Amino acid sequence: MRYSGARVILEGLRGQRGWRPAWREPAPKSDYDIVIIGGGGHGLSTAYYLAREHGAKSVAVLERGWLGSGNIGRNTTIVRANYYLPGNSEFYSHSLKMWEGLERELNYNVMHSQRGLINLFHSDGQRDAFARRGNAMANQGDDAILLDRDGVRKHLPYLDFDNPRFPVYGGLLHPRGGTARHDAVAWGYARAADRRGVDLIQNCEVTGIDVQNGRVTGLQTTRGSIRAKKVGIVVAGRSSQVAAMAGLRLPIESHVLQAFVTEGLKPVINHVVSFGMGHFYISQSDKGGLVFGGDIDFYPSYAQRGNLPMAEHVMEAAMTLMPVIGQARVLRSWGGIMDMTPDGSPIIDKTGIDGLYIDCGWNYGGFKAVPASGFAFAHLIAQDRPHRIAERFRLDRFTTGRGLMDEEGTGAQHNLH
Amino acid sequence: MRLTCPHCGERDLREFAARGSAVVLSRPSAGASAEEWADYLHIRDNPAGEARDLFYHTPCGLWIEVTRSTITHAVIAARPVREAKP
Amino acid sequence: MRLEGRGQIDRDHPVRFTFDGRVIDAFRGDTVASALMANDIRVVGRSFKYHRPRGLYSAGSDEPNALVTTGRGRDALPNVRATMQEVWEGLDVTSQNRWPSLTRDVGAINDLFSPFLAAGFYYKTFMWPRAFWERVYEPLIRRAAGLGRLSGEAARDASEKAFAHCDVLVIGSGPAGLMAALTAARAGADVILAEEDSHMGGRLLSETDTIGGLSGPQWVGSVLNELTALPNVRVMERTTVTGAYDQGTYGALERVSLHRPPGRAPRECFWRIAATRTILAAGALERGVAFPGNDRPGVMLASALRTYVNRWGVAPGQSAVVWGNTDTAHRTARDLASAGIHVAAVIDARADATTTGDWPFYPGGEVLSTQGRLGLKGLQVRHGRREFTVWTDCLAVSGGWNPSVHLASHIGSRPVWRDDIQAFVAGPEPVPGMDVAGAANGIFDTAGCLADGLRAGNVAVQAIGLETHSPDLPDAEATPYAITPLWEVEGKGRAWLDLQNDVTTKDVRLAAQENFRSPEHMKRYTTQGMSPDQGKGSNVTALAVLAAATGATVAATGTTTYRPPFVPVTISAMGAGAKGKGFAPERFTPAHAAAVELGAPMIEAGLWYRPSFFPLSGERVWRESCDREVRMVRESVGVTEVSTLGKIEVMGPDAGTFLDVVYTNTMSSLAVGKVRYGLMLREDGHVMDDGTVARLSEDRFVLTTTTAAAAEVMRHLDFVAQGLRPGLNLRTVSVTEQWAQFAVAGPRSEALVRSILDDPAAGVLPFMGCTEASISGTGVRVFRISFSGEKGYEIAIPSDRGEALWRLLLAHARMLGGGPYGLEALNVLRIEKGFLTHAEMNGRSTAFDLGLQGMMSAKKDFIGKALAARPGLLGETREQLVGLRPVGAARMLTAGAYLFGEGAAATREAQQGFTTSVAWSPTLDTFLGLAFLVNGRARHGERLRMVDHMRNVEALVEVGPPCAFDPDGGRMRG
Amino acid sequence: MAELIARTPAHADLPQPVEIGRTRIAEVVLGPVTWIAPFDGQEKAVTAALRAAAGVAFPKPGQVTRKGSVRALSVGPGQALLIGATVTPDGAATTDQSAAWCALSLSGEDACAVLARLTPLDLRPSAFALHRTARTMVGHMTASLTRTSENTYEIIVFRSMAHTLVHDLTRAMRHVAVRAAL
């Protein structure tokens, strides 16, 4: 069933009776060519591109809970390509281009909105650092504009320019940056993958990975054993546990990142705004809620919730930067579990076990990566060699020191990125 | 969250800086292999359950090792890293 | 309409406020909601999506419809629950989401299109053409979305935050909460009793029961008299506990003065409460029934109607129908009748129910639909096979009670379904230290709540190790709770679940039809429960509808997750105190005021402020001042304050050994009276910080760190000392605050230093020497070090005399033709010399990259040594520090620009490096740059293209060594 | 010889004691302050030396030892500030901190309520009795807090943060005062 405005009107006239399930509810088969563990954004997009790009016919996605129940459903929805280190630059640039065609690709409105993202800076040194970032983006072929204080004022007149603790010197505008409706991305990929024959299996937890003679042979699950020629692990927030089933240890520590949304309000914030000195970023959803967040809570955690000190820090940052939103009320807070890596950049790689691949370590930047991550991971699984956009996301970079992508420059401490 | 600083007593989380897994206390000896060093600094067991993590009580300067659950956030024990040294 | 002789309002104190400009008469004790009802205003809001007219539905913080804006301008507060807002003289209330008025709202046209606006319709359309999303569709949607409106003015920082600690936190002050608080208080526990309402008592303020022979309010008063007299009890009304966090930490929002005209009092206070034990006695929330037309103004919860009638003495009309599935219906009818309101019918979903009242009674009946446009006029009722119309102004509906388990679920515990009460309750000890009591625990009669409060109080008392002193239980009403499921009535027309987000039963069924069958999928697809009330009144009903649609039980369907806050919290409350400078401490150096006196612009350096430059009259731009200051230092002498540098003393027999661990070079061999430049790595082999180490005596070293890294280095030293080298005998302490420090630099620096020292001979120090001396009798530390490349000193003096020394230094400097210099000049001086700051030590650079590999001792282990030797951190592929000068026509350099081969395209693939720091050098009459360049040390003399897209600057540059001035350091050694 | 005039940390921000409502803040001139940290195994010797020279023992965690105008405040594991006398006992790391700290006293009936706006420390008498001291936070600053009488607290922060401390305290004092008048 194809979605369209005409269809919406037709179904409106006939009482919505004709809408069919967005995806099937298949029982797991005993045997697949490829099994993807993890029905989040990355897993679903991987399955989709396996079918779409590589013609894979026998693919299943196993999801412990409900589709999209991980970080794809609990993030702050920002889509951007403003990285500056080689490896990240080309990957996120590619991902943003994929976003720009995603709705028609999936026949699903994920509400990708390129409303512009502004990173504020607060000193001469930060200006130079953001100039470098902007230049790297331009070198990559992406858009970036360095704004001075007056330039920022034109876009964001509501900031406290007069008496903030850290005055605004300017900002780096990324016009193609923006947001998307997070759940819709999962649903869009799920529906599109399902239409290409991928079996999406919910409430199916993987309990074991079968390896024989250095080669993966299948999985044990709460819904029975499944044989598989190839297995991809894409389970941010549980990466260490699932990898451990195959005897792998990862350079990952799990941390909780909180986010907040206010009651719906008439439009006030029209960009994505990021306040580096205060570890605060914000946008306003189409529904009117101010969606914002800050830094991780810093202690290792698998609980999808945080504590008050960071929540208060985030609200305080809002008050010093944009007191215009002070009277808005926070409606809901939540936490996502982040795979934090030693350099803050992700991993898409083989594992040393034939047929077993892993896509993990997205820190708190995984949402915008969903299209390209799935695309590159599907390539790796299908072709057994990395796609050029992700060839630097290697596991061994920490051992060799080659190609580290520490954008923040905070070093090999997982919770500092 | 509240943690107990062995010197100062039970305090609000906001008084602490968190560092992550306590395995960094087990620094390899100078002659260790490159693999050992890389593992030490990067690879983590990352348990979903009982874990040993490091916190710094900023007001008093004490580094502590906290045994805690990463699932429930229950705190089981806390001691100065001086005493935790393997 | 106002009911004579009823309610707890103060009829001696009339209060007038405005609603959409209309003056409303009310009494002290009214809420905006009760006052609107008293004035027969039925439409109080418009719904989010369809702009349906809506009336009062509840009487508490769960109100879905009556969201209003109070105040104007910067004090405007959107989405205030009219049910929670107490009236005060002059209060300005406006309705929301309507234009031009509540009764004539153009947006209501949306309702006509509702057949096409089903759940998730927007995921299926608006995709063509692509550019239309940002330009057409989204702006339209954004404008239509949202309920209230922010004023667009900066909010005042008018709230506060506070901490509290107690043995027992009691949340809610109904019969269970009061009894629990009394029990704990009498046993001597420190008790905090938090109540969301303006008055303690919970449902006891709204019901006509007697307790121990007293009316509800009287009994509440007697308990409160005892509690407030106890020193160990803190009673907090208008305080909503908003979230449960780890180890007994709770967030709570107190409405301090929102019930009064604005003044100097804090508006709200956000509390952080640490409690050993908590008793959740937050009561239960009544739920409605999803039946066609159930959103009509005049349809309201039965409990809310009793509250309006009994507590505030108001009623929504002359007659009412009551419909329910428990004895609640009968209680409501009795109260209405006694208040003189005509009870047009009582409908009890339980077919076997009986009544004692004198009203039409329909056991087993149901309401099929409603009539009326801006207010309820009549109901279509089915009883047996008969369908008929009942004319009424008001329908009081009750579908049962949902215990308020929100806080019990905040840290991960899932509520448990109970068939006998058709509701979710909390599991055992859902939050460590928490007990749930009363209606929140699924006990719905007063006597049961009192007893359960007493039980919970005693459990808490025992848990904290006190002796119990149980109060006597007063007599109270004890009715068994009998309920039959009553979730929805199917029929023609829309039946609302989430009134705010306009989610109907059809939407939930559509979600199930499209396979959004898990509660989370249904919630996200339909937006059920994502509205300002977070589905307080509708979530469980929606789950029941979903369960029916999927053929599952409610228990098996489960719930979505409750998350903080329980009620929305203003950002200005949770972020109180941070507006303006309050976000982070401000640190001022000892000579700050003296620098400001000289007109120096002070700029942020982390938490510190430092002078940028010291303008002289006639200088129009910073560069003029900066160039002059640089020349001054190169030609005579300059003075600048460096107190912000971190200063750490390391003492003890093993101090040297310890420093050998944290620095790449050897410090243990440093002679007393000498200073050495030191480099610290992180364990991953990258540079953490640099600074100097001075050995003041055999077992006392003083380290300097950069301003930015001072706290990080201190923490690192503590970590190494305590965690990695606990066997070493040493002590570390920050002395940053003790010592004001000034750099004196330039050819005449020695003359200056000698002129102020009590013993001028102490100024004759070798390069990298240090000594203790005195100035006007005050002990100082003198270091012969330089960050400018000139002969230089740093003098440290106790901070209390820092300003005096600064003034003395300036006076003497001026006599020598010198003066003060600021950060800008300091930066130029160091760039001319190729010295480092964190622009170069950027967290990704290694000693090798910076050309400091010679400082890495081969003879000892140190932090970072092993991992700095990884192949990827060495060799020709690394970007190495170089100096740059422009050589083409364009003479300007910028920092953050990239380097490319001459003639190469400016693309990522062709990047060769980037600039980190640049400056105009008045000394060399050229721009100078520092840059990282692939294999840079081998490329001195090479020409490259520098491109800065951001500033539209391009230049041809020549690569050289980082140090551009006095490369052999003769001036510095002097 | 020029005289170098010493400034107290809060001389500009709090030149005079300030009273708002039922609380008062005033700068405390600490006099000589020495940071003392006994080396491994030297704790007893250092206590003996301190007793001999100043009449006070090395304080246990959270403790203040006092003799006349001399006090020793516990400020961290194995660390104390000796205030009011200068003693540099053998066997301990010591350093002069006389100019490092800004100390204010906060007193009055509502002092505890004011402080509760700023510190997460449990201030109940059962947890923070008379003459107890704690390293904690005041606002965003690390601080030493000491209860010096029933209704008096001494707050010590970095000297450079004197302005912020006075600002934070006076804001809290105003709020408490206005509330009390409601």
Side-chain angles (χ1 to χ4, degrees), chain D residues 12-45:
Chain D
D13 295 292
L14 192 66
Q16 301 288 331
V18 165
E19 198 161 333
I20 302 173
R22 295 183 299 215
T23 46
R24 179 179 189 272
I25 47 170
E27 180 162 17
V28 177
V29 177
L30 293 173
V33 178
T34 309
W35 178 86
I36 302 176
F39 289 117
D40 297 352
Q42 298 293 314
E43 293 81 0
K44 281 187 182 155

Side-chain angles (χ1 to χ4, degrees), chain C residues 157-163 165-167 190 254 256 260 264-266 269 271-272 576-577 582-588 607-608 649 651-653 700 728-735 737-738 758 775-778 781 797-801 803-805 808, chain D residues 1-8 11 13 20 35 37-41 43 77-79 93-101 113 115-124 126 140-141 158-164 167-168 171-172 174-176 178-179 182:
Chain C
D157 197 353
S159 291
E160 62 169 1
K161 293 200 271 192
F163 296 93
H165 302 259
C166 62
D167 298 326
D190 287 335
E254 179 189 11
V256 180
R260 304 167 158 271
R264 290 169 53 239
C269 180
W271 288 91
R272 287 69 56 92
F583 178 61
E586 294 183 277
R587 299 182 80 173
F588 295 109
L607 299 180
W608 294 95
E649 285 187 16
M651 292 166 275
R700 182 186 302 265
L728 296 181
N729 194 5
L730 70 124
R731 296 293 180 267
T732 59
V733 62
S734 168
V735 294
E737 296 278 333
Q738 169 65 18
D758 294 342
I775 298 174
S776 302
T778 300
R781 292 171 175 177
I797 189 165
S799 295
D800 54 348
R801 288 180 167 79
E803 182 179 331
L805 178 57
L808 182 69
Chain D
M1 192 165 81
E3 195 193 348
L4 296 179
I5 297 167
R7 299 281 205 187
T8 63
H11 73 276
D13 295 292
I20 302 173
W35 178 86
F39 289 117
D40 297 352
E43 293 81 0
Q79 303 167 38
T94 62
T95 196
D96 180 20
Q97 299 247 303
S98 306
W101 303 98
L115 210 46
R117 263 118 193 106
L118 296 171
T119 182
L121 189 71
D122 186 348
L123 296 169
R124 287 180 292 170
S126 54
H140 298 111
M141 300 169 283
F158 286 158
R159 174 191 190 94
S160 64
M161 295 183 180
H163 172 80
T164 297
H167 168 272
D168 286 1
R171 182 183 150 95
R174 277 198 304 276
H175 281 152
V176 170
V178 185
R179 265 175 174 266
L182 281 181

Side-chain angles (χ1 to χ4, degrees), chain C residues 359-420:
Chain C
W359 40 63
F361 181 60
Y362 306 112
E366 62 186 2
V367 178
L368 299 174
S369 64
T370 62
Q371 295 170 40
R373 197 175 69 86
L374 295 176
L376 184 69
K377 290 203 176 108
L379 303 168
Q380 197 68 15
V381 174
R382 187 197 59 74
H383 182 233
R385 290 193 179 161
R386 202 160 66 90
E387 288 182 18
F388 50 93
T389 303
V390 179
W391 299 105
T392 182
D393 306 320
C394 173
L395 172 66
V397 62
S398 175
W401 291 86
N402 293 324
S404 285
V405 296
H406 310 73
L407 289 162
S409 311
H410 278 176
I411 72 171
S413 167
R414 287 270 172 183
V416 184
W417 178 257
R418 263 178 61 186
D419 255 335
D420 59 333

Side-chain angles (χ1 to χ4, degrees), chain D residues 29-113:
Chain D
V29 177
L30 293 173
V33 178
T34 309
W35 178 86
I36 302 176
F39 289 117
D40 297 352
Q42 298 293 314
E43 293 81 0
K44 281 187 182 155
V46 170
T47 275
L50 280 177
R51 275 195 203 282
V56 295
F58 191 85
K60 297 187 174 66
Q63 193 188 22
V64 182
T65 54
R66 296 173 304 139
K67 174 76 183 270
S69 61
V70 178
R71 321 175 265 158
L73 253 65
S74 164
V75 290
Q79 303 167 38
L81 288 183
L82 181 71
I83 300 174
T86 303
V87 182
T88 53
D90 289 341
T94 62
T95 196
D96 180 20
Q97 299 247 303
S98 306
W101 303 98
C102 170
L104 302 187
S105 73
L106 169 73
S107 55
E109 215 178 308
D110 290 338
C112 183

Side-chain angles (χ1 to χ4, degrees), chain A residues 50-108:
Chain A
L50 277 169
R52 164 101 163 66
E53 299 289 316
H54 305 284
K57 298 282 184 244
S58 166
V59 180
V61 175
L62 308 186
E63 167 54 47
R64 180 172 68 150
W66 36 280
L67 295 175
S69 53
N71 291 332
I72 186 81
R74 51 188 88 249
N75 60 72
T76 47
T77 80
I78 297 167
V79 176
R80 59 186 167 94
N82 60 349
Y83 285 73
Y84 69 103
L85 295 180
N88 283 331
S89 280
E90 58 266 37
F91 177 83
Y92 290 103
S93 178
H94 189 89
S95 201
L96 183 56
K97 290 189 185 97
M98 293 180 71
W99 276 103
E100 286 166 342
L102 198 59
E103 274 132 7
R104 276 160 304 167
E105 170 79 33
L106 301 179
N107 179 228
Y108 207 85

Side-chain angles (χ1 to χ4, degrees), chain C residues 500-668:
Chain C
Q500 284 173 332
N501 272 358
D502 276 329
V503 179
T504 66
T505 53
K506 279 186 187 166
D507 292 317
V508 172
R509 277 194 277 273
L510 175 61
Q513 174 187 330
E514 295 191 73
N515 212 1
F516 291 86
R517 298 163 81 93
S518 86
E520 284 285 351
H521 276 155
M522 179 276 284
K523 168 188 128 181
R524 289 155 187 261
Y525 195 59
T526 63
T527 75
Q528 163 63 41
M530 295 167 83
S531 47
D533 75 352
Q534 290 278 283
K536 285 195 179 69
S538 58
N539 273 350
V540 176
T541 312
L543 291 167
V545 172
L546 177 68
T550 58
T553 61
V554 184
T557 300
T559 62
T560 57
T561 311
Y562 296 103
R563 294 188 181 278
F566 172 66
V567 296
V569 180
T570 45
I571 290 171
S572 56
M574 223 164 152
K579 190 182 169 188
K581 308 290 190 200
F583 178 61
E586 294 183 277
R587 299 182 80 173
F588 295 109
T589 63
H592 180 90
V596 171
E597 264 173 36
L598 294 172
M602 304 303 286
I603 59 169
E604 295 73 15
L607 299 180
W608 294 95
Y609 290 85
R610 299 183 73 178
S612 187
F613 53 93
F614 293 87
L616 293 183
S617 63
E619 290 174 348
R620 285 151 306 172
V621 294
W622 69 270
R623 261 281 302 282
E624 286 182 68
S625 308
C626 175
D627 288 359
R628 172 183 50 75
E629 289 172 12
V630 170
R631 280 190 215 103
M632 175 183 79
V633 171
R634 294 272 179 245
E635 289 160 15
S636 59
V637 61
V639 181
T640 196
E641 183 173 13
V642 293
S643 303
T644 61
L645 296 183
K647 298 178 278 294
I648 298 166
E649 285 187 16
V650 179
M651 292 166 275
D654 295 328
T657 313
F658 171 71
L659 294 179
D660 286 348
V661 177
V662 293
Y663 282 101
T664 60
N665 44 341
T666 305
M667 294 297 174
S668 53

Side-chain angles (χ1 to χ4, degrees), chain A residues 114 140 312 316 330 398, chain C residues 134 161 272 569 870 908:
Chain A
Q114 296 183 291
Q140 175 63 35
E312 292 177 42
E316 291 180 6
V330 174
F398 305 107
Chain C
E134 282 90 349
K161 293 200 271 192
R272 287 69 56 92
V569 180
R870 283 179 286 176
R908 177 180 55 78

